[in-house]
Amino acid sequence: MIQAIARVRGLSKALVACSYGAAVLTLTWLTQDGHLGDAMFGVMAMMLMAFPLSLAGGSLYGTLQQLIYPTKHDDPTYGVNYPYAWDYVLMAWPGIVIAIVLAVLLAWRRTRTAGRVSGWFLAAAVIVTGVVTIFDDWGPRRPYGWPFLVYGLIMATGLIAVGRTAVEEAAAADV
C-alpha cells in the first residue's frame, strides 16, 4: 500500500501546500478566537509565517476593513450586526495566497527548485512558530504550538519526497 501511495504523482507536493495552508488557517482560528491570548502574538506569528505577503496584508488591513465594514462607531447598532467572519478572511488571505503560489511552484518542473527553497523556508517558519508557542512564558498558550510542529514536520517530509521524485525523474530522463 505504501508503494501505491508513493507512486501517486503530486501527492507530496499537495501535502506540502495543504499542510502550510492548514497551519495558516489554524493560526487564524487560534488568534481570532482568543486561544493565544492577545491578538498580537497571532499577528506576529502570521507576519513570520506569511512573510513577504503579510507585510502587504498588514498595511492593507485597515483599508480593507473600512471597505467591508461601512458602519461607524457612532452607529447605535454597531457590534450587533458586525460580520466577524470577515476578520478571519482579512487575517488569513496572505497565507492562503502563499500556499497557492507554493503549490504552483512545486507543480511546474521549471520552478520546482524555487518551490523547494520557498517550501523549506515556510516549513522552517511553521516549525519556529510551533517552538516559540510551546516554549512561551504564558502557560495557557503552550499546548497550541504542537499542531504547528506537526504541520512543519509534514511539510519537511513532503519536501524530502519532492526532492527524491525530482532526482528519480532526472535519472529516468537520462536513461
Side-chain angles (χ1 to χ4, degrees):
M1 181 167 165
I2 293 174
Q3 291 175 349
I5 292 173
R7 288 186 189 145
V8 176
R9 297 183 62 106
L11 179 65
S12 56
K13 299 167 194 164
L15 192 65
V16 172
C18 289
S19 294
Y20 178 72
V24 166
L25 293 176
T26 302
L27 180 63
T28 302
W29 167 66
L30 290 173
T31 302
Q32 294 296 328
D33 284 358
H35 295 292
L36 297 177
D38 57 349
M40 184 55 74
F41 185 86
V43 169
M44 294 306 284
M46 186 63 79
M47 292 289 256
L48 171 70
M49 282 178 40
F51 174 63
L53 202 53
S54 63
L55 296 176
S59 64
L60 291 175
Y61 187 84
T63 306
L64 293 174
Q65 190 177 26
Q66 288 177 358
L67 290 173
I68 293 171
Y69 308 135
T71 58
K72 303 295 181 202
H73 287 288
D74 56 355
D75 184 11
T77 62
Y78 183 77
V80 176
N81 56 358
Y82 188 79
Y84 291 102
W86 282 106
D87 287 340
Y88 292 89
V89 174
L90 288 174
M91 184 175 179
W93 77 266
I96 297 303
V97 169
I98 288 178
I100 293 168
V101 169
L102 178 64
V104 169
L105 286 175
L106 289 172
W108 290 345
R109 184 180 298 253
R110 291 184 182 192
T111 60
R112 192 171 297 151
T113 303
R116 282 188 291 177
V117 169
S118 61
W120 280 110
F121 172 74
L122 294 172
V126 171
I127 290 172
V128 165
T129 300
V131 169
V132 166
T133 308
I134 289 172
F135 293 109
D136 191 17
D137 288 337
W138 192 54
R141 188 180 293 151
R142 290 182 189 157
Y144 297 112
W146 291 105
F148 297 107
L149 284 180
V150 171
Y151 294 140
L153 292 176
I154 290 171
M155 288 176 69
T157 304
L159 287 166
I160 290 170
V162 167
R164 287 188 179 172
T165 57
V167 170
E168 289 171 2
E169 287 175 4
D174 290 339
V175 174

